Amino acid sequence: MADIDIVHVPYRGAGQSVTDLLAGQVQMIFETTAILLPQIEAGKLRALAVATQARSPLLPGVPTTAESGYPKLLASFWSGLLAPAGTPPAIVEKLNAAVNEILKSKEAQAGLARLGAEAKIGSSRDFAAFIATEAPRWATIANATGIKVD
């Protein structure tokens, strides 16, 4: 989107990428706020932007990518609970209800907030619809940029 050429350096996890950034082996990384926040707060790293629709409550002084001139550059972290195909619907709904109940708790919400995250409570159909919109979006990005699975 910025029409720049960036060399992808594959890492097996965030730890080594942060270490290499701090050591000057790489010039930048894309990583979650929760991973980078301690280094940002210590003044060892500078956050340039968050790739979410709104500013992070953990980094209120850091602009969004949209505010930085790239409104289509959105890449928030998400995760979810999945079950094997063919799992009986009654089991899926029972698991979904239990997880939603946990996510509504003050403890879970406080824990997520410490990570700069929030729960998206909904049905298994809601999550399936979300995945159905995310998959083609990321496929388009991968095709346009030539991203390959390492």
Side-chain angles (χ1 to χ4, degrees):
M1 291 177 188
D3 198 30
I4 57 177
D5 187 21
I6 299 174
V7 176
H8 173 248
V9 179
Y11 288 96
R12 291 193 180 270
Q16 189 61 50
S17 68
V18 174
T19 299
D20 283 357
L21 181 61
L22 291 168
Q25 300 299 313
V26 296
Q27 288 72 47
M28 65 177 203
I29 61 173
F30 291 89
E31 191 49 75
T32 65
T33 302
I35 296 289
L36 299 175
L37 190 61
Q39 302 299 332
I40 295 167
E41 290 177 335
K44 294 179 180 180
L45 294 178
R46 179 176 169 215
L48 302 177
V50 293
T52 51
Q53 299 222 353
R55 288 188 180 206
S56 169
L58 299 176
L59 297 169
V62 177
T64 66
T65 47
E67 291 172 315
S68 300
Y70 302 95
K72 293 183 181 179
L73 179 57
L74 296 171
S76 60
F77 172 81
W78 59 267
S79 63
L81 181 62
L82 301 164
T87 301
I91 299 294
V92 170
E93 295 313 313
K94 187 173 184 175
L95 286 169
N96 182 253
V99 170
N100 281 340
E101 194 61 34
I102 291 166
L103 291 175
K104 290 177 187 175
S105 75
K106 289 180 183 176
E107 296 85 1
Q109 290 183 10
L112 288 169
R114 284 191 299 274
L115 298 172
E118 63 182 63
K120 299 287 185 188
I121 296 169
S123 70
S124 59
R125 290 172 302 286
D126 295 336
F127 189 44
F130 173 76
I131 291 173
T133 61
E134 284 286 283
R137 182 170 86 87
W138 287 104
T140 300
I141 291 167
N143 289 332
T145 59
I147 294 173
K148 306 282 187 236
V149 176
D150 292 335

